[in-house]
Amino acid sequence: MNIKDEVLFKKLPIIISVIGSFLLLHQYFFAWNDPLPIEPGVFSEMADVPLDIYNWGIEHYRLEVENYLLFQNFETLAPVPQVSKTLLFGGITWLLVSLGLSLISTLKRYYFIAAMAVVIFLLTISGINSLNIGGISSNLALIVLILGVAVPAMVIHIFYDHFSLMKRTVIITPISVATMAFLVLRSNVTQPELMMAENITLMAIAISAIFVLYIGHALVGGFFLMLARLNQGVGLKISWHLTVFTIIYIVLLFMVLLDLTGDFPLPFSYPPLFFLFLLASFVGWFEVKAKIKQIKQPYELDLIGQSLYWIGFGITIMVFWKGQFSLNRPMLDFLDHWFVYTQIALSLLFFAYLLANFSGFMNMGKPLADVTFQPKFFAYLHMRIGSLIALLSLIVFADGVIAPQLSVSSTNYSADYYYAINKPTEARILFENSWFRYRRNEKAMIATVNLYQQDKQPTAAKNIIQEAFEWQPSVHEILLAANLAHKQDKYFDALFYLEKGLELYPDNDFLQNNLALLHSKGNRSEAAFEVLTQIDQEKEVANSNKIGLQVKHKSHVDEDPEVEENLIGRVNTLAFKNLKGEFVDFSLSPNDTQSTTIKEAIIRNQWTNKPVNKLSEDLQVVDSLSNGILSTKTLEELRISKIIRNYQEGQIAETLKQLNGLVLDFEGSAGYFHALAAKIMIGQGDFEKAAIELIQAESKGYRNFTVSHLPILYFGNQIDAAFDIKEKFELDFPEWMKVNSDEGALIKPEAEYFKQLSQLNKSFKSDFLNGFKGLQDGPLKAILGHEILIKKSHWLNEKEIQEIQNHLLDQDQVDKEYISQLTDLLISKDLTKISSEEKLRQKFQSTQAVTGNPYLTPFVFMAVSKAKNDEDKYEILRNASDFNKDPLLWMEMVKYSQKIGLSEYGQEALKKLSTWVEPEKLEKLKLQTL
């Protein structure tokens, strides 16, 4: 035997077998989800969180916006065609078969004849005629295949038997491969190479069945050979070791058999049987080497038998891999059943063979390993005949289930082919037929349901699902049934499916996760939390869902979320922190994901918490996302996110303008947007406009009125509306303002304070100063004093500003450093102090923030003073006047309108101003300013 023969006929099959083993293990451990994916689908819900809280001393108002909560619900997706893996399987299988042909050609006469008969049978079941060469139902392809595969081996065996093994291979193997390639290329069916890769599986299973039968007693035989070698010259009672091992092994196998047949399901799970197959094949290698040495073989070179063994192992391991990556459950069940049958039958008979031939001197320490397969009594051949009888008995005991398993697995090959080439009708018919004939066949069932749904036949799909639950459905089928019921708003049906599933598959993470989300939908938050806590493997999904439920149900909010490098979990954590009014120590970017839903959620939740980029950059992100989006709801949510971002930047004017645009563009949500605008105006102390917005909100369907809204309506000059809403929503005025329609308000200090606050925006100097001085000292007067500083200090001189400052500095609850920095800014009118002074920066954020707020009139005037020309100054004042009713601001706007030649606009503004300013005060103000 030369090196080339060693490499080609031994090392190459071994390498392929090792690669196949790794492919099988990788498929089982890491790629099990590829053929029939179970993936966490992401859906979103909304939860209200506070964007801002306004403390007006006697009333607190929450500016709430919606944040996204992302939940992950496991879904069974449609089967995924495994085209590349199937082609690889077909190519390797045919290569090994072709290589084996040259080895078969070296067999002795009668063995060669028997082997060629088997080869021709295998070619007959290869499905080659499905290529339709020569027409439908023509046998031309099979004839050509036999000529190209079997005839060269026959010719060489008969006429050129002197050829070396390498020479035979160089002739036979290329002709075999070329013949198959020629037939595939000549076929006019769609993707003929894929069809043959699928159809050749049946031939490969037949070869695998022969190989599995061959290694049936490998473990018992290998164990005996090891004991015999260890005991050589020692004399231990290895018969006891062999007996105990065999009994335990046979009992375990029989328990597995009872579980496979359903006669006695085991209360525990066990690893896949291909692990035992790998072990038996490995041990069988040492047994086959012993057989070759001890028994006369039908070939001359030991290498031939060794190579045939590894070719058989390589093909078998590829068959196991094919069953795994295509999730052909009938095929996998056939392999498991056949493996267990052969192991029980041959191990039992081989054990009897060993006892019958070696029991008398098994424990004497003699070299039995060298003669294990040579005894004359109860010959090894007789043992195999007995094993076949035992094998048939086991098949009968299992009701011959391997026959439908083999038949249905073949149907699945054809269904997979039609599914892969996008012929849904043919695929559905085959998958449905496959499932009806063999119910442990989840891929066929799910493919059938999905194809029925694609064909707009939901009733047929529903019937299939209901039938599946009459048997023992798989996790895939349970998830599919529950999710379809949920989508059809059949909550209790979905609940039943999942609860039934957990009875069959306790502690399954997928089922537990989906059940928890269903409990949440039914407002059973504690049950949902309890189920999520029990999840072991899918912790990342469970944790992110748990955070979402904390926010949704306002439950367990004292438990800090487990934040990991999990994008969806972090999105929900943002909402959680926003609910609690806390900042997060991380930031997310919409560029972190490709999902539009997650992008929207990141934008909304991150901006609600803490923007990290410039305003212009963030708004550009929203605009780019909006391009091409057809969903009205998505566009609406993105525009709401823009409003939140502008508000966070202090751009109050722009925020309110965009809200007005939303009211016009999305009439169905107009009530919500009016209410949102009202809350923003409440925060700015503009109770008059806020009251109008609340009335409009109510007329558009807004119903979330509370007691704290009544003072806004009442002091916002909408007294009748206050009483109407009070009665309609069964509310009562707060204790600090006892109001009824007959007596009016019983003025208390708190009510007087609120009145002063509501009138501050449009009041004159004498009005707000007298009102301030007339209030009792305390927290409420401090709040009003601060409002005067930031909104009306442009009416005051330096002395008056300092008097208010001194009063505020005498109050214990006031941030004295902030008040000092604020008054210094108001007196100096230097806007740069906002960015240089820490306390001012914390309060106002930036110069753009204060100048973008039309209610901060002193800062508006500072911006006017910095403007380059009168046109810019007029524009600043005009924009502010859209919201702010400060008389001095309006007079300044009138003045600059006259300067730039827009006197008619100035006159119109004076007319509007006269509607809330008394004539005497208005004339006096004209004299002072114009």
Side-chain angles (χ1 to χ4, degrees):
M1 181 177 65
N2 56 44
I3 296 177
K4 292 181 179 179
D5 291 343
E6 176 80 14
V7 171
L8 182 60
F9 298 106
K10 188 173 180 179
K11 290 186 177 180
L12 178 61
I14 289 176
I15 291 172
I16 292 175
S17 299
V18 171
I19 292 174
S21 300
F22 277 111
L23 288 173
L24 176 61
L25 294 173
H26 176 270
Q27 185 68 40
Y28 178 76
F29 286 108
F30 304 107
W32 63 270
N33 206 30
D34 288 354
L36 191 58
I38 294 178
E39 297 292 345
V42 179
F43 68 93
S44 65
E45 294 185 17
M46 291 296 192
D48 289 331
V49 299
L51 180 64
D52 208 344
I53 297 177
Y54 311 125
N55 179 11
W56 290 122
I58 50 178
E59 291 292 341
H60 293 73
Y61 296 89
R62 290 161 61 95
L63 173 59
E64 291 188 328
V65 295
E66 290 183 323
N67 266 195
Y68 283 83
L69 301 178
L70 299 179
F71 294 104
Q72 292 171 279
N73 183 71
F74 286 103
E75 299 178 4
T76 301
L77 305 183
V80 178
Q82 304 293 301
V83 175
S84 58
K85 291 180 180 179
T86 302
L87 292 174
L88 178 62
F89 161 79
I92 292 178
T93 299
W94 189 250
L95 175 63
L96 289 174
V97 168
S98 301
L99 189 61
L101 285 171
S102 59
L103 299 172
I104 291 173
S105 70
T106 65
L107 299 182
K108 295 176 182 178
R109 181 178 180 183
Y110 293 109
Y111 290 101
F112 173 77
I113 293 172
M116 291 310 298
V118 172
V119 168
I120 292 173
F121 168 74
L122 293 176
L123 296 179
T124 304
I125 64 173
S126 67
I128 192 69
N129 284 336
S130 60
L131 294 176
N132 293 338
I133 295 175
I136 298 175
S137 302
S138 171
N139 290 321
L140 180 60
L142 177 60
I143 295 172
V144 173
L145 187 65
I146 292 174
L147 291 174
V149 173
V151 171
M154 293 178 184
V155 171
I156 289 177
H157 181 81
I158 296 172
F159 300 105
Y160 302 97
D161 200 37
H162 60 281
F163 277 9
S164 67
L165 182 58
M166 180 62 71
K167 197 170 183 178
R168 294 167 187 258
T169 305
V170 169
I171 297 172
I172 295 173
T173 300
I175 293 176
S176 174
V177 173
T179 301
M180 179 61 76
F182 169 77
L183 292 172
V184 168
L185 293 173
R186 289 286 297 174
S187 175
N188 58 3
V189 302
T190 305
Q191 295 188 39
E193 70 283 358
L194 179 61
M195 174 180 279
M196 279 312 303
E198 290 286 4
N199 289 343
I200 206 175
T201 309
L202 189 60
M203 182 180 75
I205 287 180
I207 297 172
S208 301
I210 296 171
F211 180 79
V212 170
L213 180 66
Y214 183 78
I215 63 168
H217 57 69
L219 285 175
V220 173
F223 187 71
F224 175 74
L225 290 175
M226 181 189 72
L227 289 176
R229 293 189 187 282
L230 292 175
N231 195 46
Q232 189 169 332
V234 178
L236 296 176
K237 293 184 177 181
I238 62 172
S239 59
W240 288 102
H241 298 82
L242 178 65
T243 302
V244 171
F245 172 80
T246 304
I247 290 174
I248 292 175
Y249 183 56
I250 296 296
V251 168
L252 290 175
L253 285 174
F254 199 74
M255 291 174 65
V256 171
L257 175 62
L258 293 176
D259 183 74
L260 290 175
T261 58
D263 295 314
F264 184 73
L266 297 177
F268 55 85
S269 60
Y270 48 86
L273 294 180
F274 70 75
F275 286 108
L276 189 59
F277 163 75
L278 290 174
L279 178 62
S281 300
F282 175 75
V283 174
W285 166 242
F286 298 98
E287 190 186 54
V288 77
K289 288 198 296 184
K291 288 180 187 177
I292 292 172
K293 289 180 179 179
Q294 297 176 30
I295 302 176
K296 188 176 181 180
Q297 300 295 330
Y299 43 78
E300 299 296 333
L301 299 175
D302 292 353
L303 176 65
I304 295 173
Q306 295 173 0
S307 181
L308 284 172
Y309 181 86
W310 285 111
I311 288 174
F313 176 67
I315 292 174
T316 307
I317 202 66
M318 296 304 291
V319 167
F320 271 98
W321 180 54
K322 173 69 162 60
Q324 287 287 342
F325 76 67
S326 64
L327 198 61
N328 191 328
R329 188 66 63 187
M331 177 178 170
L332 292 172
D333 287 351
F334 168 79
L335 293 171
D336 285 348
H337 276 256
W338 182 251
F339 179 74
V340 171
Y341 299 165
T342 56
Q343 288 293 305
I344 292 176
L346 274 82
S347 296
L348 190 60
L349 268 295
F350 189 71
F351 174 66
Y353 162 81
L354 291 175
L355 291 182
N357 289 276
F358 303 106
S359 59
F361 46 92
M362 188 180 292
N363 301 325
M364 295 181 180
K366 293 184 177 182
L368 300 181
D370 298 331
V371 294
T372 300
F373 302 100
Q374 292 181 352
K376 304 298 182 182
F377 176 71
F378 194 12
Y380 186 61
L381 177 62
H382 297 160
M383 181 275 296
R384 292 212 158 185
I385 294 174
S387 298
L388 291 177
I389 296 172
L391 180 62
L392 291 173
S393 300
L394 290 171
I395 293 173
V396 172
F397 171 78
D399 297 325
V401 70
I402 61 173
Q405 287 171 346
L406 198 58
S407 174
V408 173
S409 66
S410 179
T411 303
N412 279 350
Y413 310 147
S414 299
D416 285 340
Y417 165 72
Y418 284 113
Y419 187 76
I421 65 173
N422 197 26
K423 289 191 175 182
T425 303
E426 293 87 342
R428 191 200 71 224
I429 293 171
L430 289 168
F431 275 128
E432 187 171 11
N433 176 268
S434 169
W435 185 73
F436 277 133
R437 290 162 56 202
Y438 193 80
R439 294 304 175 92
R440 183 176 149 83
N441 198 355
E442 65 267 35
K443 178 183 172 183
M445 179 270 193
I446 289 165
T448 303
V449 170
N450 277 281
L451 290 170
Y452 266 129
Q453 288 183 309
Q454 290 179 22
D455 202 28
K456 309 299 182 186
Q457 299 187 57
T459 303
K462 181 181 177 182
N463 292 337
I464 295 288
I465 291 172
Q466 290 177 341
E467 278 198 59
F469 271 80
E470 295 177 5
W471 303 79
Q472 183 168 352
S474 66
V475 172
H476 289 84
E477 293 167 315
I478 295 166
L479 290 174
L480 178 66
N483 286 331
L484 287 179
H486 189 196
K487 290 175 182 177
Q488 296 169 358
D489 292 326
K490 295 181 178 180
Y491 171 81
F492 291 104
D493 287 356
L495 195 64
F496 165 77
Y497 291 141
L498 292 175
E499 289 177 343
K500 181 67 175 177
L502 283 171
E503 292 177 10
L504 298 173
Y505 306 99
D507 303 324
N508 182 273
D509 292 344
F510 303 137
L511 300 178
Q512 285 180 317
N513 179 81
N514 289 14
L515 180 62
L517 295 182
L518 268 187
H519 282 323
S520 170
K521 185 175 182 179
N523 290 323
R524 300 178 60 195
S525 59
E526 288 304 317
F529 278 107
E530 183 179 350
V531 173
L532 286 176
T533 304
Q534 297 171 1
I535 292 178
D536 293 325
Q537 301 298 323
E538 299 293 334
K539 279 289 188 184
E540 187 173 286
V541 172
N543 287 340
S544 63
N545 283 343
K546 191 183 296 183
I547 299 168
L549 294 183
Q550 286 177 286
V551 181
K552 177 181 177 180
H553 297 288
K554 309 295 188 291
S555 178
H556 297 264
V557 292
D558 56 331
E559 301 174 9
D560 287 334
E562 299 179 26
V563 184
E564 301 175 355
E565 294 299 325
N566 173 6
L567 183 60
I568 292 177
R570 289 195 163 197
V571 171
N572 288 344
T573 300
L574 280 168
F576 178 86
K577 292 294 187 179
N578 292 339
L579 178 67
K580 298 183 71 174
E582 300 174 354
F583 291 120
V584 296
D585 55 1
F586 59 84
S587 63
L588 300 181
S589 167
N591 295 326
D592 295 338
T593 179
Q594 297 298 318
S595 167
T596 302
T597 299
I598 300 178
K599 284 179 183 288
E600 295 168 19
I602 289 174
I603 289 170
R604 175 69 61 84
N605 295 7
Q606 181 67 62
W607 290 355
T608 303
N609 187 267
K610 181 176 56 178
V612 294
N613 299 318
K614 293 180 180 179
L615 176 63
S616 58
E617 295 175 358
D618 284 341
L619 296 183
Q620 187 176 3
V621 169
V622 174
D623 292 338
S624 63
L625 276 177
S626 300
N627 293 332
I629 291 179
L630 300 178
S631 168
T632 303
K633 185 62 179 175
T634 300
L635 289 172
E636 180 181 351
E637 293 298 339
L638 286 173
R639 288 177 64 178
I640 293 173
S641 296
K642 287 181 71 173
I643 286 171
I644 292 172
R645 183 63 185 91
N646 276 294
Y647 181 86
Q648 291 285 55
E649 196 71 19
Q651 302 299 307
I652 303 300
E654 184 63 25
T655 300
L656 292 171
K657 287 178 181 178
Q658 290 186 13
L659 269 174
N660 186 57
L662 285 173
V663 168
L664 298 175
D665 294 340
F666 302 99
E667 188 174 349
S669 304
Y672 170 76
F673 296 131
H674 279 300
L676 192 59
K679 292 174 184 177
I680 293 174
M681 290 172 176
I682 290 170
Q684 304 307 316
D686 191 349
F687 298 163
E688 185 176 318
K689 283 191 175 67
I692 295 172
E693 292 289 342
L694 287 174
I695 293 172
Q696 292 177 327
E698 195 276 334
S699 68
K700 296 294 185 180
Y702 183 75
R703 295 292 179 266
N704 296 331
F705 285 95
T706 63
V707 171
S708 60
H709 288 126
L710 298 181
I712 301 300
L713 291 164
Y714 187 88
F715 290 102
N717 297 327
Q718 301 295 331
I719 298 175
D720 291 340
F723 282 100
D724 289 343
I725 289 177
K726 171 182 176 294
E727 297 299 327
K728 185 173 182 177
F729 295 98
E730 299 180 353
L731 303 173
D732 196 5
F733 287 101
E735 289 296 324
W736 56 267
M737 55 173 296
K738 291 297 184 181
V739 178
N740 59 57
S741 56
D742 297 327
E743 301 176 5
L746 299 177
I747 300 300
K748 290 186 175 184
E750 296 87 352
E752 180 60 30
Y753 153 76
F754 217 75
K755 179 181 178 182
Q756 293 292 328
L757 196 62
S758 66
Q759 298 175 352
L760 183 61
N761 282 335
K762 58 183 181 181
S763 64
F764 281 69
K765 177 178 178 179
S766 58
D767 298 327
F768 66 75
L769 278 183
N770 291 334
F772 174 72
K773 293 175 182 178
L775 285 180
Q776 294 180 1
D777 288 350
L780 298 183
K781 187 173 182 177
I783 293 173
L784 182 60
H786 175 261
E787 288 298 299
I788 290 173
L789 286 179
I790 63 173
K791 293 179 180 177
K792 307 296 284 188
S793 60
H794 57 287
W795 290 83
L796 306 177
N797 56 40
E798 183 175 342
K799 180 181 179 182
E800 290 167 333
I801 292 174
Q802 289 176 342
E803 286 177 357
I804 296 176
Q805 175 193 21
N806 294 334
H807 174 79
L808 294 177
L809 293 176
D810 289 338
Q811 308 302 310
D812 294 334
Q813 72 276 15
V814 170
D815 186 338
K816 296 177 175 54
E817 184 179 357
Y818 161 68
I819 293 298
S820 298
Q821 292 179 6
L822 175 62
T823 52
D824 183 43
L825 166 61
L826 295 173
I827 292 171
S828 66
K829 297 181 174 54
D830 184 4
L831 286 172
T832 59
K833 291 182 180 293
I834 293 176
S835 58
S836 61
E837 300 289 353
E838 181 181 357
K839 294 291 183 179
L840 294 179
R841 187 168 61 253
Q842 291 175 359
K843 172 67 177 177
F844 299 112
Q845 301 178 34
S846 66
T847 302
Q848 291 76 17
V850 292
T851 56
N853 187 340
Y855 292 102
L856 302 180
T857 320
F859 298 99
V860 173
F861 277 108
M862 293 181 200
V864 169
S865 66
K866 297 294 184 181
K868 296 180 180 179
N869 53 58
D870 291 341
E871 286 80 3
D872 292 342
K873 293 179 180 182
Y874 169 76
E875 194 62 28
I876 294 171
L877 292 165
R878 189 193 61 78
N879 288 332
S881 69
D882 289 341
F883 306 94
N884 193 337
K885 286 189 173 183
D886 184 273
L888 196 55
L889 182 141
W890 277 69
M891 292 306 299
E892 285 293 305
M893 180 185 66
V894 171
K895 181 177 72 175
Y896 280 104
S897 69
Q898 294 173 348
K899 286 186 177 183
I900 63 174
L902 297 175
S903 300
E904 65 277 13
Y905 290 103
Q907 293 302 315
E908 185 67 27
L910 284 173
K911 289 180 182 179
K912 291 182 180 179
L913 185 59
S914 64
T915 60
W916 68 82
V917 177
E918 299 172 0
E920 298 81 5
K921 290 184 177 181
L922 182 58
E923 289 301 323
K924 186 176 180 180
L925 191 60
K926 286 181 183 178
L927 294 174
Q928 292 176 354
T929 57
L930 297 180

